[in-house]
Amino acid sequence: MSNDNKDTPSGAFIGYETCPVRRTLTVLNGKWKPLIIYELLPAPCRFNELKRRLPGVSQRLLTAQLRSLEEDGVVDRKVMEVVPPHVEYSLSEKGRSLQPVLQAMETWGENEVKNFPIS
């Protein structure tokens, strides 16, 4: 696979261009990206609010995941020209198109929790 394709994220694995599941997994890879997208579905959010909603994520990792999602065109970053300045994250149109995927994951997870509780 050539790295000349500008649409291929760095670290994308073989089959990214042709396999729909691999393409989706490349965008949603990692523990935090689906959760970040899920938290941004209702409304835009500032960095510290996202960090509060995602206990366990470090500031460094959240920053890296947001940058990666921004590079993939899933998240938009808007710098607010106020004093003090702050940054707001929201889902792009591409990011919003992932809503059915996350809703399917939520439904599957609800059924899993209901039918196979952890004792």
Side-chain angles (χ1 to χ4, degrees):
M1 179 168 88
S2 170
N3 286 338
D4 294 338
N5 184 349
K6 299 228 186 278
D7 292 334
T8 304
S10 60
F13 46 93
I14 297 172
Y16 171 83
E17 291 88 359
T18 58
C19 177
V21 173
R22 289 181 184 197
R23 181 82 172 243
T24 305
L25 289 174
T26 298
V27 173
L28 294 178
N29 69 352
K31 175 180 178 180
W32 298 106
K33 285 182 182 180
L35 296 173
I36 292 167
I37 295 166
Y38 185 79
E39 290 298 332
L40 292 174
L41 279 171
C45 197
R46 290 174 60 181
F47 182 88
N48 285 332
E49 180 61 26
L50 269 176
K51 187 154 178 1
R52 277 191 291 276
R53 292 181 187 181
L54 299 168
V57 68
S58 69
Q59 182 167 334
R60 181 178 174 189
L61 186 55
L62 180 56
T63 298
Q65 296 290 274
L66 284 165
R67 283 186 184 149
S68 179
L69 287 167
E70 188 179 0
E71 286 173 13
D72 288 342
V74 173
V75 168
D76 291 326
R77 180 179 185 269
K78 181 178 180 183
V79 178
M80 309 301 277
E81 299 295 330
V82 295
V83 178
H86 67 266
V87 176
E88 188 175 80
Y89 294 92
S90 61
L91 292 178
S92 65
E93 187 175 329
K94 181 178 179 178
R96 291 223 160 269
S97 73
L98 289 165
Q99 185 170 3
V101 175
L102 292 173
Q103 285 176 328
M105 291 171 67
E106 180 180 34
T107 300
W108 187 90
E110 287 171 348
N111 289 331
E112 185 72 6
V113 168
K114 179 181 167 188
N115 296 321
F116 302 100
I118 298 173
S119 313

